Amino acid sequence: VQLQASGGGLVQAGGSLRLSCAASGRTFAVGWFRQAPGKEREFVATITWSGGTTYYADSVKGRFTISRDNAKNTVYLQMNSLKPEDTAIYYCAAGSFSWGQGEYRYWGQGTQVTVSS
């Protein structure tokens, strides 16, 4: 399975971005994680293969929405009301539905999100 994350960029606080994760091969649950400078990588959101169940980190709940289009083998992360503390490299990963990084076997290369104040 290969994953390609895209859609990152520079946005002002309060703005929006939509990240995409295009997958090749067998589909799994897909999660988004992020790593800010000097910090450990952390869980953001995850979605089951069917798209019927999602789970979010408390820090993004109500602002971010994860969804998927299996016909396009793509998972999206819609990020609204962005804050400077959302600045990080965002990674998508495929594996078991979980907030634990160890449950994800396949990882994309990451896309940079920068939120200016």
Side-chain angles (χ1 to χ4, degrees):
V1 176
Q2 293 185 329
L3 302 170
Q4 180 74 35
S6 62
L10 173 64
V11 64
Q12 289 188 332
S16 298
L17 281 175
R18 188 177 79 159
L19 305 184
S20 298
C21 178
S24 64
R26 181 182 173 185
T27 54
F28 296 84
V30 173
W32 284 96
F33 295 80
R34 66 186 182 186
Q35 187 167 21
K39 295 186 177 181
E40 294 187 351
R41 189 162 58 187
E42 64 177 6
F43 167 78
V44 176
T46 186
I47 187 167
T48 55
W49 175 84
S50 68
T53 304
T54 58
Y55 187 76
Y56 298 90
D58 287 344
S59 59
V60 306
K61 201 172 296 183
R63 300 188 297 122
F64 291 11
T65 302
I66 189 171
S67 63
R68 70 189 300 161
D69 183 343
N70 284 342
K72 297 181 179 180
N73 280 345
T74 302
V75 173
Y76 305 98
L77 185 68
Q78 178 66 44
M79 306 186 295
N80 299 328
S81 302
L82 283 162
K83 304 175 182 179
E85 51 263 45
D86 294 319
T87 295
I89 299 174
Y90 283 70
Y91 299 89
C92 62
S96 299
F97 181 72
S98 172
W99 53 87
Q101 297 183 45
E103 298 298 318
Y104 292 86
R105 181 175 181 182
Y106 306 100
W107 290 80
Q109 85 291 357
T111 184
Q112 176 71 48
V113 171
T114 303
V115 184
S116 63
S117 56

